[in-house]
Amino acid sequence: MSEAGPFKRLLSYMRPHRGTIRLASFCSILNKIWDLAPPLLIGLAVDVVVLREDSLLASLGVTDPWHQLVLLSVLTFIIWGLESLFEYFYGVLWRNLAQTVQHELRLDTFDHVQKQGMGWFDDRQKGDILAILNDDINQLERFLDKGANDLLQVSTTVVVVGAVFLLISWQVALFAVLPIPIIVWGSFRYQRSLEPRYARVREAAGRMNALLENDLSGMSTVQSFTAEAHELARVEVLSEDYRAANREAIRLSAAFTPLIRMAILVGFTATLLLGGWLTLEGTLAIGAYSVLVFMTQRLLWPLTRLGETFDLYQRAMASSTRVLDVLGSPIEITQGEYTPARTEVEGSDLILQDITFGYPGRERIFDAFNLSFKAGQTTGVVGSTGAGKTTLVRLLLRFAEPQSGAISWAGEDLPKWQLEALRSSIALVDQHITLFPTSIMENIRYGRPSADDDEVVEAAKIAEAFEFVEALPDQWDTMVGEGGHRLSGGQRQRVAIARAVLKDAPLLILDEATSAVDNETEAALQRSIERISKGRTTIIIAHRLSTIRRADRILVLDEGAIAEEGIHEALLDRNEIYARLWSVQTGAVTEFK
């Protein structure tokens, strides 16, 4: 991608803020113009002191030297006031624009990420996505806050100083301004060289953030396996990669300013010597010579900061590319407009017909798979690991799409449903419980944000969570901690079930809801499940067969196909896969072959 690529993409994204960008740019340019005026005033002052009644101001009608100095003092106040005023304006405009674009870009990117299917997340590391949403967007904000103004003001300085030099003495301007094209050309050469280096810096930062996020999330595993030294070594490797990528970029960017200084030295020396010679010869006025010398200094200072500005620019463009690539990634899960009434959904079977599905790079899980979930019935699904149980849930929620075949509900294929309508009709209790770092009350209310406190408490009673919550010191205001780590496994499960109860969806899916709890908690959860599944289409995916023994129908999946089907007693009588699993779990046999 050319160096203009990410910049054009960024400008395209910021199109709604064109008015603010123009106004901020206008204020930056005017501020720099007024900032460059004092050397002209100094030249005029020298001209007044040396030439008195023959000065430039005298030719404009102000003949008295004292009055000329008074006029220059008034102009100084006005110019400094205008410079300060426009500095305030551009500061407010650029900083607020930076914060606004940062805010909108983070929201737009996060909203886009939320619309992706689960396959999109499978191909990416969560830590890298977090780095994009935080570090990369913050890098862009830093450029808009400072770098954009610096680039504008450097450009204005070059144009204004060059024009002043040409007006005063084209001979001096020819030598003084000669290095500027070389500097500009060199700047763009440096920019192109820095672009891939900072792209590697951002990639290294993403890999390191991914590892840190994974280690912090799994700290209990790290410590239990006494793998702290191993993880430290892995972090050290990635941190060293990040440092090496930065070192390579720094080595190049740090050389930029000294080279600019040497180029500027040529222009300054030309001004000093050639301008001084012309002044001594009487060709150039002393005041004009003073202006040239001071203007050269005004040109020197901002150009020496050009390397820092380009460094900030390249970091921002590397980050913008990563952010805009995510924002521009296609959403694989499409949706329709079908939004059936709740009564239609409650009375309809959920039908899977000729479903073929497999994850990329892996064997197929389903091949011409057919299944129907009866409305109002509880269906238990069991099977060995890899049989397709969790994949079935992902297909129903459209977290993944089948390669062929159709899934229909309420008379329409799922792709024709509006996604919000579909997922609002399903309450999921996942095997990996996700609780948010807020209170128990708010975690349950997540199922239906509009619910009042009484409805939340009633849902907790149905889920048999009421008693343990009431026994806590802070009761419903108890903070569960990140991921709910302050609660036990069984307590987290009950809160999750209460959340699903409050959602009150036509279809309830319980994916291994009792897999990580003790027998007493399992018994409580079974009572809750039986209570909330009455009259509701319910799918229970279970490892513990005791959880589904009272289901209206039990399906046994084996290698992506339905191997057995029936009620608990009938499946035991068949004395096949289900019966053997039951024998193992109840202790009737000691080994399952």
Side-chain angles (χ1 to χ4, degrees):
M1 183 178 293
S2 68
E3 74 278 352
F7 186 66
K8 287 183 178 179
R9 293 172 69 191
L10 181 61
L11 285 180
S12 177
Y13 177 81
M14 294 170 59
R15 189 175 292 120
H17 300 289
R18 282 178 297 182
T20 302
I21 295 172
R22 291 193 188 102
L23 184 57
S25 301
F26 178 71
C27 291
S28 292
I29 292 170
L30 280 183
N31 166 261
K32 180 48 64 176
I33 290 174
W34 295 122
D35 178 59
L36 293 172
L40 295 176
L41 296 178
I42 293 172
L44 290 172
V46 172
D47 196 44
V48 170
V49 172
V50 174
L51 299 178
R52 299 176 180 270
E53 288 82 1
D54 295 326
S55 68
L56 178 62
L57 287 179
S59 67
L60 297 177
V62 185
T63 56
D64 185 86
W66 175 250
H67 291 165
Q68 294 177 38
L69 292 175
V70 171
L71 177 60
L72 288 175
S73 299
V74 173
L75 288 174
T76 299
F77 271 97
I78 293 173
I79 288 171
W80 280 54
L82 288 172
E83 180 198 354
S84 300
L85 184 65
F86 282 103
E87 183 175 4
Y88 170 77
F89 285 153
Y90 84 64
V92 170
L93 288 167
W94 281 121
R95 290 178 183 180
N96 282 333
L97 176 66
Q99 294 300 320
T100 300
V101 171
Q102 177 193 46
H103 170 73
E104 292 177 352
L105 190 57
R106 181 173 286 121
L107 290 182
D108 289 346
T109 307
F110 183 67
D111 182 55
H112 188 80
V113 167
Q114 286 191 114
K115 293 175 181 177
Q116 296 290 353
M118 291 299 106
W120 188 88
F121 292 94
D122 293 341
D123 295 335
R124 290 164 175 82
Q125 293 180 307
K126 185 167 61 174
D128 192 39
I129 299 173
L130 289 173
I132 290 171
L133 289 170
N134 285 308
D135 297 345
D136 288 311
I137 291 178
N138 290 342
Q139 192 70 54
L140 175 60
E141 180 263 337
R142 283 189 285 272
F143 169 71
L144 290 176
D145 189 8
K146 183 177 182 294
N149 172 71
D150 286 348
L151 285 176
L152 281 169
Q153 295 208 330
V154 168
S155 302
T156 303
T157 299
V158 171
V159 172
V160 171
V161 171
V164 170
F165 271 50
L166 287 172
L167 286 172
I168 294 176
S169 173
W170 67 267
Q171 298 100 321
V172 176
L174 184 64
F175 288 96
V177 181
L178 185 62
I180 293 179
I182 299 173
I183 292 170
V184 173
W185 173 81
S187 298
F188 282 105
R189 290 281 297 178
Y190 257 78
Q191 178 185 326
R192 283 193 290 270
S193 299
L194 282 170
E195 182 178 351
R197 287 169 170 82
Y198 280 124
R200 288 194 287 273
V201 168
R202 298 316 310 157
E203 291 168 2
R207 291 193 299 271
M208 185 172 64
N209 281 337
L211 178 61
L212 289 172
E213 192 279 332
N214 186 74
D215 282 353
L216 290 174
S217 299
M219 188 54 67
S220 60
T221 302
V222 173
Q223 293 181 351
S224 68
F225 280 89
T226 61
E228 293 91 342
H230 174 70
E231 292 306 317
L232 179 61
R234 292 211 298 168
V235 171
E236 182 181 10
V237 169
L238 292 185
S239 183
E240 178 59 35
D241 288 345
Y242 178 66
R243 184 171 70 163
N246 264 297
R247 187 188 297 119
E248 187 181 353
I250 290 169
R251 186 183 299 113
L252 186 63
S253 64
F256 188 70
T257 297
L259 291 175
I260 286 180
R261 284 182 180 273
M262 297 307 296
I264 289 294
L265 178 62
V266 175
F268 183 77
T269 304
T271 303
L272 189 67
L273 295 178
L274 181 58
W277 180 74
L278 291 174
T279 304
L280 291 173
E281 291 293 316
T283 307
L284 190 65
I286 296 175
Y289 179 56
S290 302
V291 170
L292 291 178
V293 172
F294 280 109
M295 276 294 187
T296 303
Q297 187 275 335
R298 285 301 183 100
L299 182 64
L300 171 63
W301 176 247
L303 284 178
T304 57
R305 293 167 48 199
L306 195 59
E308 177 186 343
T309 302
F310 270 126
D311 185 77
L312 194 62
Y313 171 79
Q314 276 305 333
R315 288 179 183 269
M317 292 305 102
S319 293
S320 296
T321 298
R322 281 164 52 85
V323 175
L324 294 173
D325 282 349
V326 170
L327 196 57
S329 60
I331 298 175
E332 299 174 357
I333 304 295
T334 59
Q335 61 173 314
E337 298 296 327
Y338 184 54
T339 54
R342 183 182 177 103
T343 52
E344 294 181 75
V345 178
E346 289 177 331
S348 299
D349 296 346
L350 182 56
I351 302 170
L352 292 83
Q353 186 173 6
D354 294 329
I355 296 298
T356 298
F357 177 81
Y359 294 104
R362 292 158 58 182
E363 294 182 0
R364 283 184 179 176
I365 295 176
F366 295 124
D367 193 358
F369 181 75
N370 292 281
L371 176 60
S372 175
F373 293 103
K374 301 296 181 181
Q377 285 190 358
T378 297
T379 302
V381 181
V382 300
S384 59
T385 300
K389 305 186 296 298
T390 299
T391 298
L392 187 61
V393 175
R394 292 174 67 128
L395 292 172
L396 296 180
L397 282 158
R398 294 197 69 204
F399 291 162
E401 296 280 53
Q403 277 85 48
S404 64
I407 305 174
S408 61
W409 195 17
E412 286 288 356
D413 291 344
L414 295 192
K416 295 182 179 179
W417 280 61
Q418 188 180 66
L419 270 178
E420 184 179 356
L422 173 66
R423 292 172 181 170
S424 295
S425 300
I426 303 173
L428 172 67
V429 180
D430 199 2
Q431 58 180 315
H432 304 294
I433 300 298
T434 299
L435 297 184
F436 301 94
T438 182
S439 66
I440 290 177
M441 175 71 74
E442 292 308 310
N443 267 285
I444 297 176
R445 202 195 308 275
Y446 199 81
R448 182 158 48 90
S450 61
D452 58 34
D453 290 356
D454 291 338
E455 291 175 305
V456 172
V457 171
E458 184 58 32
K461 288 180 178 178
I462 295 173
E464 297 204 14
F466 179 82
E467 289 186 2
F468 93 78
V469 174
E470 287 287 316
L472 295 170
D474 293 329
Q475 297 182 329
W476 302 94
D477 293 326
T478 299
M479 304 300 289
V480 304
E482 186 176 0
H485 73 273
R486 294 182 181 176
L487 303 180
S488 69
Q491 289 171 337
R492 288 197 295 269
Q493 292 280 12
R494 295 187 207 191
V495 170
I497 291 176
R499 186 167 59 191
V501 170
L502 189 64
K503 186 174 183 180
D504 190 30
L507 174 61
L508 173 65
I509 300 177
L510 300 151
D511 186 2
E512 302 283 11
T514 64
S515 61
V517 297
D518 55 42
N519 292 333
E520 182 178 351
T521 303
E522 182 195 6
L525 291 175
Q526 285 180 12
R527 291 193 298 269
S528 302
I529 292 169
E530 288 179 16
R531 190 177 299 121
I532 63 178
S533 62
K534 287 181 179 178
R536 188 192 312 271
T537 306
T538 305
I539 301 172
I540 304 175
I541 296 172
H543 172 71
R544 293 185 175 182
L545 303 188
S546 54
T547 307
I548 59 166
R549 63 179 301 177
R550 295 186 177 85
D552 298 310
R553 182 176 59 151
I554 298 172
L555 305 175
V556 180
L557 292 185
D558 186 40
E559 296 182 353
I562 299 175
E564 298 179 46
E565 179 179 354
I567 61 173
H568 174 74
E569 291 76 12
L571 291 174
L572 289 180
D573 290 340
R574 291 181 60 171
N575 199 28
E576 295 181 2
I577 297 175
Y578 184 86
R580 291 199 297 272
L581 288 172
W582 179 260
S583 297
V584 170
Q585 292 189 17
T586 57
V589 298
T590 58
E591 184 179 0
F592 174 52
K593 297 181 180 179

